[in-house]
Amino acid sequence: MNNNNKHSSHSHHNHGDMDHSKHEHLSTEEHGDHNKDQHHDHHAGHEHGGHGGHDHHHHGNFKELFLKSLPLGIIIMLLSPMAGFDLPFQFTFPYSDIVVAILSTILIIYGGRPFYQGAVDEFKQKEPGMMALVSLGLSVSYLYSIYTVIASYVTGEQIMDFFFEFASLLLIMLLGHWIEMKAIGEAGDAQEELAKLVPKDAHVVLEDDSIETRPVADLKVGDLIRVQAGENVPADGTIERGESRLNEALLTGESKSIKKGPGDEVIGGSTNGEGVLYIKVLETGDKSFISQVQDLISQAQSQPSRAENIAQKVAGWLFYIAVTAALIAFVVWMLVADIPMAVKFAITTLVIACPHALGLAIPLVTARSTSLGASRGLLVKDREALEIAQDADVMILDKTGTLTTGEFKVLDVEPFNNKYNKEEIIALLAGIEGGSSHPIAQSIISFADQEGISPVSFDSIDVISGAGVEGKAKGHSYQLISQKAYGRNLDMDIPKGATLSILVENDDAIGAVSLGDELKPTSKELIQALKKNNIQPIMATGDNEKAALGVSEDLGIEYRSNQSPQDKYELVKALKDEGKKVIMVGDGVNDAPSLALADVGIAVGAGTQVALDSADVILTQSDPGDIESFIELAHKTTRKMKQNLFWGAGYNFIAIPLAAGILAPIGITLSPAVGAILMSLSTVIVAINAILLRLDPKI
């Protein structure tokens, strides 16, 4: 497995919080047109359950449409009385009605275009929805008003027109869409943020050591590139020469910059600190880590989830309910009053029923939760995972590397007699292990280094086959041997699951060091959080009984030891057969089959391609605390989706009867313009509600 995939999961750390600050200055100018291509291509598909066709309000830049339609709309509203009221700021002159009719025609052709194009798309899909409703409201008010102008010249009678309502409705709809596009833009375009990380050009070192600047797109695997201090790394690779600290926060979510030197891997897009690095290119373009992450994000954002499919069905029903209610209102009011009155109520009903807020309800929450997750090192590939996870019953966790650090660490050093104190024992241990590259030796040496203790210098060191090492220092001979080789009982508390090495001088034990695989700091909190959410944690590990028991007692959870990947797969299957919803957390390579089988598969820091393919969620930082963030994100996202569905659909059930004039007998009616304001307001509430999705700060 080539190692550069190591980080593939580390992807994206796009923009959590910074994202907003950045987007803020993106004026909608820039937002504008790329909005329609970018946000909209993914929004289009996913707004409507992903059949791609529905790309409403993806026609045109709404900011520009609104600003250019505004003067026309204002003139129309000044020249035509509002539903029969004479307002103080209105004025008319001979033939002003013809001027209004001409201006309205220009307005409906220019400003109404996106709504009509959207409606055509909806009918092609045989799924009339919000665009169909808006278009119907605009058409009825426009056509009826044009008819009143013609009639007044032909028959001479003055009939009330709806130019004021028509113009105000169109302007409010355009304004609503512009606000909505802005919100979608801000809810998170993680991919663009990532793309900005990769520089345009790279400095390639040629054979004669001269430097040639080349576009990143032309880099080949094997090229040697130079990255100066402060520059971003143009491609994935390994360091050939130079040392520096690299900031990979945007990719892995790890906020501290990491020290790297020759032989270490670097990810394209990370920022180089103070040193100059010479890097050999391992992956470019589509294969690079950033681009894999971008693909992941776009897949996640374009998949329809269950909540979205519900939203879409509701939008469809609302279309039919609204059209029926409008027809009933029209007929009733025509019989009770007159045609202008009937037209007014029919239009208001159509306008107010636009299930706009509904189309946005879910996609906005999704976009926001995708980028929030990303800022925490959570790549949610399959959005359904969030909806399923909040009902999960069991979580199966791998031990090494997930709950524990997977590295040997010195847990304790204990002197046995008064001859040596603890510091002296550590100095001897570090000295005797000085020449060894064994992981245990390395962990002892780095422990002494952290404690600021310099090793005793040994004159000679030899390996005792199968038992340990021996050496001479200052005329004394010492041995560091395993508990088994020492063969006598020791009076000391050994941490559970730890390995013990004994330091012996002249056949006398003078001290001992216990080493073990340490629990990660956030493992305990994770287990508490799972229990609080009624999710039963089970640890499944390939380790032996003793090691497994130690960790399970520390954490207070059930465990299964000596589990092969096949055993883990069987465990997931058995639990699913009992009707339980199972989340599996593991590393991507050997746990791939069980990750794929579980209801939700979470791959931990697994960077390998296999994991990316088999898991629904990828934790780029192997931190158990992120699993907790994922459960929190699942609960909060699902809650926001429900709230938004309620806002988006619920208000219609009150508004449609009101708009149809059910309370007119007691003097309560809504004009089409007020209808349009209410409708836009529900859209804005839904957008703000989505943007308010937050995760608790990490401690």
Side-chain angles (χ1 to χ4, degrees):
M1 181 97 0
N2 62 358
N3 209 21
N4 59 322
N5 278 333
K6 209 32 198 171
H7 311 294
S8 329
S9 68
H10 280 173
S11 64
H12 66 300
H13 263 79
N14 34 350
H15 55 297
D17 304 324
M18 44 148 271
D19 158 68
H20 288 297
S21 53
K22 231 179 232 177
H23 261 110
E24 241 54 332
H25 340 292
L26 252 183
S27 68
T28 347
E29 252 2 322
E30 306 158 64
H31 237 103
D33 273 318
H34 81 221
N35 241 347
K36 63 177 187 225
D37 314 323
Q38 226 122 2
H39 299 315
H40 270 110
D41 51 5
H42 76 238
H43 194 73
H46 78 225
E47 169 136 46
H48 275 264
H51 349 263
H54 267 49
D55 70 327
H56 351 300
H57 41 312
H58 316 310
H59 300 284
N61 169 357
F62 285 99
K63 180 186 180 184
E64 189 184 322
L65 280 170
F66 171 73
L67 295 176
K68 290 187 177 165
S69 306
L70 190 60
L72 273 177
I74 290 172
I75 296 169
I76 294 168
M77 285 151 72
L78 289 176
L79 294 178
S80 63
M82 170 178 149
F85 295 107
D86 284 326
L87 295 176
F89 55 78
Q90 284 170 325
F91 59 93
T92 54
F93 48 84
Y95 302 118
S96 63
D97 50 357
I98 290 181
V99 174
V100 169
I102 292 167
L103 292 177
S104 298
T105 308
I106 297 170
L107 188 59
I108 198 165
I109 291 169
Y110 177 72
R113 196 184 69 231
F115 304 107
Y116 287 102
Q117 287 173 324
V120 169
D121 291 344
E122 290 181 345
F123 282 113
K124 276 186 191 152
Q125 296 283 335
K126 298 197 178 52
E127 282 183 17
M130 45 204 95
M131 291 311 204
L133 280 173
V134 180
S135 310
L136 209 54
L138 290 173
S139 310
V140 175
S141 52
Y142 167 77
L143 293 170
Y144 181 78
S145 303
I146 293 288
Y147 155 75
T148 63
V149 173
I150 296 168
S152 70
Y153 285 94
V154 175
T155 64
E157 62 170 322
Q158 285 298 320
I159 317 170
M160 183 173 81
D161 66 56
F162 286 106
F163 284 123
F164 185 97
E165 284 76 5
F166 158 75
S168 56
L169 167 62
L170 192 90
L171 291 177
I172 291 165
M173 294 305 299
L174 287 171
L175 178 65
H177 274 86
W178 169 25
I179 294 171
E180 170 192 319
M181 291 297 122
K182 214 170 144 57
I184 291 166
E186 284 167 14
D189 225 347
Q191 291 146 289
E192 287 179 56
E193 293 296 331
L194 282 175
K196 288 182 197 154
L197 293 178
V198 180
K200 301 275 174 286
D201 296 316
H203 308 299
V204 181
V205 183
L206 304 177
E207 309 235 319
D208 59 1
D209 274 348
S210 62
I211 301 280
E212 174 184 286
T213 303
R214 253 184 236 168
V216 168
D218 299 347
L219 283 179
K220 292 184 193 55
V221 173
D223 280 347
L224 186 63
I225 48 181
R226 183 185 71 191
V227 180
Q228 304 279 56
E231 291 183 336
N232 280 12
V233 177
D236 297 358
T238 47
I239 299 175
E240 293 277 306
R241 350 190 255 284
E243 279 193 357
S244 184
R245 298 187 76 86
L246 286 147
N247 184 337
E248 300 179 344
L250 274 163
L251 302 157
T252 61
E254 176 54 66
S255 51
K256 298 189 285 288
S257 52
I258 300 155
K259 192 166 183 188
K260 300 207 172 185
D264 290 333
E265 304 207 352
V266 290
I267 310 174
S270 46
T271 308
N272 183 19
E274 68 289 347
V276 177
L277 294 176
Y278 288 85
I279 296 166
K280 189 170 189 173
V281 178
L282 288 178
E283 292 290 4
T284 58
D286 299 345
K287 300 243 177 12
S288 70
F289 179 57
I290 278 201
S291 102
Q292 287 178 14
V293 174
Q294 285 176 310
D295 291 349
L296 275 180
I297 299 172
S298 65
Q299 275 168 23
Q301 290 187 332
S302 61
Q303 280 165 333
S305 67
R306 292 179 299 186
E308 234 165 306
N309 295 334
I310 296 169
Q312 199 185 328
K313 284 201 185 84
V314 176
W317 295 333
L318 278 173
F319 173 79
Y320 296 109
I321 292 169
V323 172
T324 313
L327 286 171
I328 295 170
F330 183 77
V331 174
V332 172
W333 285 102
M334 196 167 69
L335 298 174
V336 174
D338 54 10
I339 287 188
M341 193 62 113
V343 171
K344 177 186 153 178
F345 283 113
I347 291 170
T348 310
T349 308
L350 290 175
V351 171
I352 208 154
C354 286
H356 233 125
L358 212 74
L360 272 182
I362 309 300
L364 279 177
V365 175
T366 300
R368 175 79 190 140
S369 91
T370 307
S371 58
L372 253 188
S375 67
R376 283 288 172 93
L378 296 171
L379 278 178
V380 181
K381 260 176 60 178
D382 181 355
R383 296 217 317 262
E384 289 239 324
L386 289 168
E387 290 170 52
I388 300 167
Q390 59 134 22
D391 303 326
D393 302 304
V394 183
M395 182 181 284
I396 299 174
L397 295 138
D398 183 33
K399 173 176 100 68
T400 312
T402 302
L403 293 169
T404 64
T405 56
E407 300 155 19
F408 264 110
K409 282 242 168 83
V410 173
L411 303 179
D412 193 18
V413 172
E414 204 168 307
F416 285 157
N417 51 30
N418 301 333
K419 200 169 157 193
Y420 294 98
N421 64 22
K422 189 170 172 180
E423 279 73 24
E424 291 165 333
I425 296 284
I426 295 171
L428 285 166
L429 288 168
I432 201 165
E433 290 285 30
S436 170
S437 59
H438 188 279
I440 289 185
Q442 288 301 315
S443 57
I444 290 175
I445 294 163
S446 67
F447 176 72
D449 190 35
Q450 277 162 13
E451 299 285 315
I453 296 170
S454 43
V456 170
S457 78
F458 273 70
D459 308 328
S460 65
I461 300 172
D462 296 305
V463 175
I464 313 168
S465 173
V469 286
E470 57 183 353
K472 287 194 171 54
K474 301 183 186 157
H476 296 256
S477 67
Y478 299 95
Q479 296 177 317
L480 182 63
I481 53 177
S482 65
Q483 195 180 354
K484 194 173 149 199
Y486 180 64
R488 274 164 274 175
N489 277 338
L490 287 166
D491 176 26
M492 70 175 280
D493 294 331
I494 304 167
K496 289 192 270 300
T499 312
L500 203 63
S501 298
I502 318 288
L503 184 62
V504 178
E505 179 188 12
N506 306 331
D507 208 28
D508 198 10
I510 55 169
V513 55
S514 54
L515 297 121
D517 187 5
E518 238 186 351
L519 273 182
K520 289 189 179 165
T522 47
S523 291
K524 286 203 163 102
E525 290 156 35
L526 166 66
I527 299 303
Q528 285 160 358
L530 291 175
K531 290 179 174 168
K532 200 171 79 198
N533 283 305
N534 298 323
I535 298 173
Q536 175 199 359
I538 299 178
M539 178 177 80
T541 174
D543 282 3
N544 62 36
E545 177 68 21
K546 192 174 144 194
L549 177 68
V551 174
S552 92
E553 283 181 357
D554 275 354
L555 292 172
I557 57 174
E558 262 189 66
Y559 70 96
R560 308 269 195 286
S561 58
N562 297 312
Q563 298 273 299
S564 67
Q566 182 63 34
D567 294 332
K568 289 184 189 178
Y569 182 86
E570 297 298 335
L571 176 61
V572 173
K573 190 167 179 312
L575 287 165
K576 280 184 76 169
D577 291 345
E578 289 171 27
K580 294 198 165 140
K581 280 209 172 144
V582 182
I583 302 179
M584 166 79 194
V585 181
D587 86 18
V589 198
N590 42 21
D591 298 331
S594 29
L595 288 172
L597 177 66
D599 296 290
V600 177
I602 302 182
V604 178
T608 54
Q609 206 41 57
V610 190
L612 286 182
D613 296 342
S614 56
D616 306 302
V617 180
I618 291 145
L619 299 189
T620 61
Q621 295 163 49
S622 324
D623 176 3
D626 293 340
I627 304 174
E628 204 180 322
S629 298
F630 169 71
I631 300 287
E632 184 195 346
L633 188 67
H635 281 277
K636 289 190 171 172
T637 301
T638 314
R639 193 162 68 230
K640 286 282 187 206
M641 285 181 173
K642 286 180 182 153
Q643 287 168 356
N644 274 2
L645 279 177
F646 172 78
W647 270 109
Y651 98 107
N652 279 301
F653 295 107
I654 302 161
I656 289 177
L658 263 184
I662 204 161
L663 296 182
I666 58 167
I668 299 176
T669 60
L670 295 177
S671 71
V674 174
I677 289 170
L678 278 179
M679 208 230 78
S680 293
L681 200 64
S682 73
T683 307
V684 173
I685 289 171
V686 163
I688 292 170
N689 191 33
I691 288 171
L692 291 177
L693 175 62
R694 294 270 187 275
L695 284 175
D696 297 335
K698 257 177 142 175
I699 317 306

